[in-house]
Amino acid sequence: MENKNPLVILRDVCKTYRRGSQTIPVLQDINLEINEGDFIALMGPSGSGKSTLLNLIAGIDKADCGSITIGGVDITTLSETELARWRGLHVGFIFQFYNLIPVLTAYENIELPLLLSDLSKKERREHVEMTLEMVSLSDRSEHFPSQLSGGQQQRVAIARAVVTDPTILVADEPTGDLDRVSAAEILGLMERLNTQLSKTIIMVTHDPRAAEKARIIRHLDKGYLNADHKTYL
Amino acid sequence: MKIPISYSFRNLWTRRLTTIFTTSGMALVVFVFASILMLSAGLKKTLVETGSYDNVVVIRKAAGTEVQSGVDRLPASIIETQPEIATGPNGRKLVVKELVVLINLQKRGSNKPGQVVIRGITENSLTLRPQVKLVKGRLPRPGSSELMAGLSIAKRFQGAGFGETLHFSMRDWNIVGVFDAGNTGFNSEIWGDVDQLMQSFRRPVYSSVLFKLRDSSDFGKVKARIENDPRLTLEAKRETTYYADQSEMMAKFLRILGMSLTVIFSFGAVIGAMITMYASVSNRTAEIGTLRALGFMRRNILYTFIIEAMLLGLVGGCIGLFFASFLQLFTISTLNFQTFSELAFSFTLTFEIAYKALLFSLIMGLVGGALPAFRAARMNIVEALRAG
Amino acid sequence: MQIIKLIYRNTLRHKLRTFLTILGLTIAILAFGLLRTVVSAWYAGVEASSASRLITRNAISLVFMLPSSYKEKIRQIEGVQTVSWGNWFGGVYIDEKNFFPNFAVDPKTYLELYPEYALTPEEEKAFLIDRKGFIAGRKVVERFGWKVGDTVTLRGTIFPGNWDFVLRGIYKGKYRTTDETQFFFHWEYLNESMKKTSLRRADQPGFFIAGVKDPDQAAEVAARIDASFKNSVTETLTETEKAFQMGFVSMTEAIVIAIQLVSFVVIIIIMAVVANTMAMSARERTGEYAVFKTLGFGKWHIAGLIFGESFFITMTGCALGILATFPAAKAFGDAMSAFLPIFHVSAKTIYLGILASVIVAVVAAIIPAWRSVNIRIAEGLRKIT
């Protein structure tokens, strides 16, 4: 039995883009609940607003209406500074193009979010080494991203995403730039994070194989969230 | 600093070629800046050290320099009777009457002309100038056609070296000694017996009188007495002041020229830095977005880019200063605009100049990096991530 | 014409970068122009010298005078047409920092030898008649606001006392290179005063100026003059006016060389930075150029586009730099007028500036143009993500 605690609650959320005098609605009337431990995939055609929705949940974009409550905190009421701090503690990011810092080693990339905390160097080391172990890259910790394959870079990115033990993991097309084998690896890793470590994962994807790994699939169309959803156990 | 400095360093290192170009520009500006300050300091040092605080120079009123001055025998004798004059170890008063004229000599190697100071001295002249030390040969004998040359002149001018002979005023003059006066202007002079020189130049008047005060605080009193005496049309200055005044025109010229160059070039360097930093920000847009997404604040981004720019400046500054320090090996030999005589001085690097130069380079980096850093800080997270 | 429009639009895309690059170039050209002008100002005296005038002075140095009896002897030397004489007075007008050159000269012969100091006949006449009169160049008169008829006092340094003079004429330089900051008064006025106060110093001009009939004979005439006074009590040194001026310049040569050196290197660096920037931009757009190719643009169209942009930016910077050089030179020249009285931006300087800019434009565009011309379309398109 899953734990039915709503971790993420979106109520009447909308987002519009302004271009001069024109306003283009990107998201409208979004109401969504994500429970702790869910692995949810957001799918939809290009322009459906799925990435925007992910950005709102992740706290890197601001909603124009409604409320977004995560772990009891309504992030729409937070100031920019408070939001940044909140992100550092509660959100782990996995991007399509890994977004690793090229001049930092794998170790340093993973350590990066911890620099925002008060942990001592020794404590940071413990966390980083643990996550390196988790993604099976302990032997590559001193390598730079340019020296790693796509799959390896994404694994470093995942390690970086979980090193702070965040409340939610958001992934935007995590397998978009990977070949079949690496993609499978990454998805397997994410699945383990969800099943073994109860990480709540919200993923945007085109990839049906990725969607398969998620147990809940929601579709977006022209800015609206479709009511029906598939749930896999 | 949440974002480590090594991040900035490594980013500069990654785009090596651009970094090299930009720091070279900065290095050159700092080099010019430092070299001007060093030149002015060297000039000041030479002229100020040329002179003792306790010595008083007396020349004709408004003459400005010894070369343009004439002091007749009678006024000169009156000066010699001033009670405030100190007494030397030989029991005689420490006062000398000297002749100072310029002669044309040809430089070694290039045959180009130079105007060199010839000073007619007497026995106490050396006592009054402790900076002067005989390094080769001996002093010219009184009553003879012998001369001794300052190190700079012996080195640079034909016929002025040890053992050589100069010919002027229908006489041959032998160089029997060479003296080293350290950094002072005396190194650019030739000294000989005052009576012999006055005779051969047919100058019946002295150029100046120099004496040492027994008590330095007596200066005001003596000066007032000399300048208010109706029999004399003379003025008195401390020797240090006298020489400092002589460099004013040169110093001013160097300052104006140098500073305008520095200002113009620093604009160029700052623009170079700006272009580099804008390009840097532009190339790392996705990175900036990522850092912000991870939770770093706008101000963290601002600081890291400003630090990067200041590092550019600092590296450039260190390189510029490093090369500027080698200038100390060179001596500039030129005509002093004010005295029309040959003057040799060198570049002097002081601690003050070094830190001013580095500060200047940091500021250039700061100014160049400020706007691009603000642009980086103001980026919108979503747009920045999309740009990657 | 479409290409030109494209070029213009392209440069506006990265407005800031384009602006900064142009600014960088403007500064480089400005600095170049200013420095070259400083260097040529240094040699201005030499430029203004005449090949048909000889300066005779005491062989020992400028500090010693010559007997006025030499006047007749020099006049009789073969090849000499006119003889004038004078002293460097070195007077101070109120304060040392107001420095300008002032001389006591024999008015009639001096003006004959120096036709470039142009006076109206009335001014010349007034000057010749009034023994206390003086003439001065336009620049120095404007600087101090003197008017004809004003009394000006100079404080003597070499010749002590306060000396009063009355402005009788303002000379304008006939040539661009003529120094308009000089001040001339009657030699007799000085000499008479010396006879009264310091007889020993009377009848001793500091220099003689001889005008030669044939400039090609100048060197020989000079030698003849010196030969006639050799082994006398006062030997002379005679040289052409040009050589005399060069002597002074060479005494301060070290500074000029230093300026030239530094400016050369710094400007190269700024140019390199700018060229690097433009090459950066062109490199970033290889993908675009591939697209142009698919649209049917030929190789040389692309190359033309790149060179065109490069030239547009460099020439704009160059033009602005040259325009800015003039006011900057004026400001600089005014600040330094005591040291460098002639401060003009020469045509040669402008041409060199343009040449340098063209070189930068070509250097910046060459490699990107070559690359883009040769890029295979598919490769280029891959660069656009």
Side-chain angles (χ1 to χ4, degrees):
Chain A
M1 271 305 281
E2 288 162 22
N3 206 342
K4 285 233 180 261
N5 283 327
L7 183 61
V8 179
I9 307 171
L10 283 88
R11 290 256 179 279
D12 302 322
V13 168
C14 75
K15 176 83 187 170
T16 50
Y17 277 132
R18 243 140 300 197
R19 257 239 170 133
S21 51
Q22 287 187 304
T23 50
I24 306 157
V26 180
L27 290 173
Q28 301 176 72
D29 295 332
I30 305 290
N31 284 284
L32 175 65
E33 276 185 18
I34 303 173
N35 294 315
E36 198 178 329
D38 277 354
F39 188 164
I40 175 172
L42 299 171
M43 304 185 72
S46 178
S48 56
K50 56 191 190 298
S51 285
T52 308
L53 181 55
L54 193 70
N55 291 342
L56 290 178
I57 295 173
I60 59 177
D61 202 355
K62 276 233 148 178
D64 288 321
C65 38
S67 69
I68 304 175
T69 311
I70 302 180
V73 176
D74 183 355
I75 64 173
T76 56
T77 63
L78 295 181
S79 71
E80 197 184 81
T81 317
E82 292 167 328
L83 199 53
R85 211 167 291 147
W86 175 85
R87 280 199 305 273
L89 292 169
H90 295 283
V91 185
F93 287 88
I94 303 168
F95 300 97
Q96 178 177 3
F97 295 110
Y98 334 126
N99 285 11
L100 295 179
I101 311 288
V103 302
L104 298 179
T105 62
Y107 180 98
E108 289 165 337
N109 265 293
I110 298 169
E111 192 191 16
L112 204 49
L114 295 177
L115 294 177
L116 291 163
S117 70
D118 294 325
L119 295 178
S120 71
K121 191 157 177 179
K122 185 152 165 268
E123 288 168 317
R124 293 201 299 266
R125 177 168 284 278
E126 282 167 18
H127 281 81
V128 175
E129 284 177 353
M130 184 180 73
T131 49
L132 271 168
E133 186 70 42
M134 201 189 304
V135 301
S136 316
L137 279 176
S138 302
D139 56 337
R140 293 239 196 268
S141 64
E142 295 309 304
H143 287 207
F144 289 96
S146 56
Q147 298 165 312
L148 301 171
S149 72
Q152 289 168 332
Q153 288 185 60
Q154 195 61 299
R155 281 193 270 159
V156 173
I158 291 177
R160 177 181 70 188
V162 298
V163 76
T164 51
D165 196 21
T167 310
I168 54 173
L169 282 176
V170 297
D172 194 344
E173 306 281 2
T175 56
D177 201 51
L178 299 172
D179 61 80
R180 223 157 48 106
V181 176
S182 309
E185 249 176 43
I186 295 301
L187 290 171
L189 189 49
M190 287 171 72
E191 190 181 37
R192 281 199 299 283
L193 286 173
N194 175 248
T195 56
Q196 291 172 10
L197 298 173
S198 309
K199 285 290 173 207
T200 310
I201 305 179
I202 305 143
M203 175 175 68
V204 158
T205 186
H206 275 135
D207 188 352
R209 293 164 304 184
E212 257 172 48
K213 290 289 181 184
R215 272 158 312 146
I216 303 170
I217 302 181
R218 297 298 298 267
H219 287 267
L220 280 112
D221 195 12
K222 294 196 182 59
Y224 288 98
L225 197 56
N226 282 357
D228 51 68
H229 54 277
K230 299 201 171 55
T231 312
Y232 301 91
L233 287 155
Chain B
M1 260 312 302
K2 292 270 164 66
I3 303 179
I5 296 191
S6 55
Y7 173 65
S8 301
F9 258 123
R10 290 191 212 170
N11 273 305
L12 288 175
W13 181 247
T14 303
R15 298 168 77 233
R16 272 191 283 276
L17 199 60
T18 307
T19 300
I20 288 176
F21 272 127
T22 314
T23 46
S24 305
M26 298 254 187
L28 247 117
V29 178
V30 171
F31 178 81
V32 172
F33 179 72
S35 54
I36 293 155
L37 291 182
M38 283 165 67
L39 202 58
S40 297
L43 179 65
K44 199 166 172 192
K45 191 159 180 240
T46 300
L47 288 170
V48 165
E49 277 186 13
T50 306
S52 315
Y53 188 66
D54 294 340
N55 284 356
V56 179
V57 176
V58 181
I59 54 176
R60 189 181 60 217
K61 207 186 219 111
T65 64
E66 285 169 300
V67 171
Q68 292 179 159
S69 153
V71 180
D72 287 340
R73 291 192 190 267
L74 184 54
S77 319
I78 293 175
I79 302 294
E80 282 181 308
T81 63
Q82 303 301 305
E84 290 85 355
I85 299 179
T87 313
N90 55 7
R92 306 263 296 278
K93 280 192 150 182
L94 284 175
V95 53
V96 292
K97 298 173 287 204
E98 296 179 338
L99 173 75
V100 176
V101 294
L102 297 173
I103 60 166
N104 273 339
L105 292 179
Q106 300 225 296
K107 293 195 176 153
R108 291 191 203 273
S110 66
N111 279 344
K112 295 218 174 101
Q115 285 184 160
V116 179
V117 166
I118 283 214
R119 183 180 296 272
I121 60 167
T122 59
E123 166 181 1
N124 271 334
S125 292
L126 272 147
T127 322
L128 279 168
R129 297 190 178 89
Q131 317 97 326
V132 177
K133 293 180 176 44
L134 190 66
V135 292
K136 208 170 185 181
R138 57 176 172 77
L139 299 177
R141 276 170 310 174
S144 69
S145 299
E146 295 176 346
L147 302 171
M148 61 176 180
L151 210 53
S152 175
I153 302 297
K155 196 161 71 168
R156 292 193 151 72
F157 288 87
Q158 295 173 21
F162 179 70
E164 289 181 298
T165 308
L166 288 177
H167 178 87
F168 54 84
S169 278
M170 298 203 299
R171 278 216 263 182
D172 283 333
W173 304 78
N174 295 322
I175 311 292
V176 300
V178 175
F179 60 88
D180 183 2
N183 259 332
T184 71
F186 297 125
N187 257 345
S188 301
E189 295 184 1
I190 297 179
W191 291 4
D193 178 55
V194 65
D195 292 315
Q196 289 299 306
L197 287 170
M198 280 171 81
Q199 224 180 73
S200 85
F201 289 135
R202 293 178 312 125
R203 278 260 170 134
V205 301
Y206 299 105
S207 301
S208 63
V209 182
L210 179 73
F211 62 84
K212 186 177 161 105
L213 291 165
R214 196 179 322 162
D215 183 344
S216 186
S217 56
D218 283 336
F219 175 67
K221 210 186 338 169
V222 185
K223 177 177 164 80
R225 194 185 309 130
I226 292 176
E227 293 183 356
N228 292 330
D229 190 329
R231 296 172 294 172
L232 317 167
T233 42
L234 301 173
E235 62 182 19
K237 283 187 189 171
R238 285 196 192 267
E239 202 181 10
T240 42
T241 315
Y242 170 71
Y243 283 106
D245 289 347
Q246 294 204 322
S247 71
E248 243 187 83
M249 226 181 181
M250 284 291 295
K252 180 174 180 205
F253 173 75
L254 288 175
R255 222 178 19 244
I256 294 180
L257 184 64
M259 282 309 147
S260 356
L261 283 183
T262 305
V263 166
I264 295 180
F265 290 151
S266 65
F267 269 113
V270 164
I271 288 183
M274 237 192 246
I275 294 177
T276 303
M277 290 309 298
Y278 269 122
S280 188
V281 168
S282 169
N283 281 345
R284 280 147 63 192
T285 305
E287 242 175 86
I288 295 170
T290 307
L291 288 168
R292 293 281 311 283
L294 291 178
F296 288 93
M297 309 278 183
R298 286 191 199 275
R299 63 167 180 272
N300 298 129
I301 308 289
L302 181 72
Y303 296 158
T304 197
F305 277 101
I306 286 189
I307 286 185
E308 202 171 305
M310 286 174 82
L311 272 176
L312 266 179
L314 189 63
V315 171
C318 291
I319 295 176
L321 202 56
F322 175 73
F323 282 110
S325 66
F326 285 106
L327 287 175
Q328 292 181 104
L329 299 170
F330 292 96
T331 321
I332 299 257
S333 163
T334 184
L335 188 73
N336 182 339
F337 302 161
Q338 242 165 323
T339 62
F340 274 105
S341 56
E342 174 77 17
L343 183 65
F345 54 98
S346 53
F347 295 88
T348 310
L349 181 60
T350 64
F351 178 71
E352 188 180 342
I353 292 176
Y355 98 72
K356 268 189 189 161
L358 289 178
L359 191 63
F360 180 56
S361 65
L362 281 173
I363 291 177
M364 277 200 292
L366 179 63
V367 172
L371 290 177
F374 272 106
R375 171 181 279 198
R378 285 174 59 220
M379 279 182 183
N380 172 283
I381 302 179
V382 172
E383 282 168 19
L385 286 171
R386 204 175 296 149
Chain C
M1 280 305 113
Q2 281 297 89
I3 288 256
I4 302 219
K5 198 151 128 196
L6 254 170
I7 292 175
Y8 181 63
R9 288 264 186 81
N10 268 330
T11 55
L12 287 184
R13 277 175 40 179
H14 269 237
K15 281 201 208 69
L16 187 59
R17 182 186 291 179
T18 305
F19 169 71
L20 285 178
T21 311
I22 292 181
L23 194 58
L25 254 157
T26 304
I27 291 186
I29 299 291
L30 172 63
F32 177 76
L34 214 54
L35 284 164
R36 266 195 56 87
T37 307
V38 168
V39 171
S40 57
W42 217 274
Y43 289 90
V46 177
E47 289 299 303
S49 318
S50 160
S52 53
R53 288 192 292 252
L54 301 175
I55 313 276
T56 300
R57 52 184 166 100
N58 191 311
I60 305 178
S61 80
L62 283 170
V63 157
F64 296 94
M65 310 290 115
L66 298 164
S68 59
S69 58
Y70 279 20
K71 175 179 27 174
E72 279 311 313
K73 297 220 185 91
I74 296 178
R75 194 171 288 161
Q76 281 158 19
I77 301 275
E78 196 191 319
V80 172
Q81 201 166 38
T82 321
V83 178
S84 186
W85 60 94
N87 284 78
W88 165 267
F89 186 65
V92 172
Y93 178 62
I94 303 175
D95 195 287
E96 269 92 1
K97 58 162 110 53
N98 293 335
F99 172 80
F100 52 84
N102 45 84
F103 300 89
V105 298
D106 179 55
K108 190 161 173 305
T109 50
Y110 195 81
L111 286 173
E112 249 179 74
L113 282 173
Y114 284 88
E116 57 258 49
Y117 299 140
L119 292 165
T120 68
E122 296 81 37
E123 283 176 319
E124 188 173 335
K125 193 155 153 221
F127 174 48
L128 289 173
I129 297 179
D130 182 3
R131 185 163 286 179
K132 279 178 80 165
F134 77 94
I135 55 170
R138 192 181 47 88
K139 279 211 187 116
V140 65
V141 167
E142 275 170 18
R143 186 175 165 200
F144 298 113
W146 296 331
K147 285 182 292 305
V148 173
D150 279 356
T151 302
V152 170
T153 310
L154 293 184
R155 184 175 80 231
T157 53
I158 307 172
F159 302 97
N162 285 322
W163 301 69
D164 290 334
F165 306 96
V166 182
L167 181 58
R168 289 296 172 202
I170 303 172
Y171 76 79
K172 295 174 192 42
K174 216 156 150 207
Y175 311 112
R176 253 282 209 74
T177 49
T178 310
D179 188 348
E180 286 177 334
T181 65
Q182 309 207 37
F183 179 120
F184 302 105
F185 64 91
H186 285 244
W187 191 79
E188 272 309 312
Y189 181 38
L190 171 67
N191 203 33
E192 273 184 18
S193 182
M194 283 295 109
K195 283 193 192 147
K196 284 189 231 148
T197 60
S198 183
L199 195 52
R200 172 186 68 80
R201 299 174 72 184
D203 292 326
Q204 293 195 57
F207 55 83
F208 284 94
I209 306 179
V212 299
K213 288 196 185 90
D214 179 5
D216 292 328
Q217 292 290 309
E220 283 86 4
V221 178
R224 259 176 246 149
I225 294 178
D226 285 339
S228 70
F229 298 114
K230 191 119 179 96
N231 293 323
S232 71
V233 176
T234 311
E235 293 185 338
T236 57
L237 175 61
T238 308
E239 35 186 13
T240 61
E241 199 181 13
K242 210 175 206 99
F244 178 72
Q245 298 283 10
M246 264 313 284
F248 276 109
V249 171
S250 66
M251 288 192 236
T252 52
E253 218 171 32
I255 298 184
V256 185
I257 292 180
I259 295 177
Q260 285 175 310
L261 219 70
V262 165
S263 60
F264 187 62
V265 180
V266 175
I267 286 163
I268 296 230
I269 296 262
I270 295 185
M271 296 284 202
V273 169
V274 167
N276 183 43
T277 309
M278 294 202 283
M280 240 197 293
S281 301
R283 250 180 284 141
E284 285 168 4
R285 310 230 295 272
T286 13
E288 263 176 61
Y289 298 138
V291 172
F292 278 133
K293 278 191 170 177
T294 64
L295 293 177
F297 279 84
K299 275 201 228 176
W300 302 113
H301 280 130
I302 309 282
L305 196 63
I306 297 179
F307 272 99
E309 268 178 59
S310 192
F311 269 91
F312 178 73
I313 294 181
T314 20
M315 287 303 127
T316 308
C318 176
L320 289 175
I322 290 178
L323 283 177
T325 306
F326 289 97
K330 177 139 197 337
F332 198 76
D334 287 343
M336 302 279 260
S337 63
F339 309 103
L340 300 169
I342 312 276
F343 211 76
H344 284 297
V345 182
S346 72
K348 186 165 174 204
T349 300
I350 298 178
Y351 294 144
L352 283 177
I354 295 178
L355 180 64
S357 306
V358 169
I359 294 178
V360 172
V362 170
V363 166
I366 270 209
I367 296 186
W370 188 85
R371 277 223 219 107
S372 307
V373 153
N374 289 319
I375 197 166
R376 292 199 313 277
I377 296 180
E379 209 185 305
L381 288 175
R382 212 180 312 136
K383 300 249 171 129
I384 313 176
T385 327

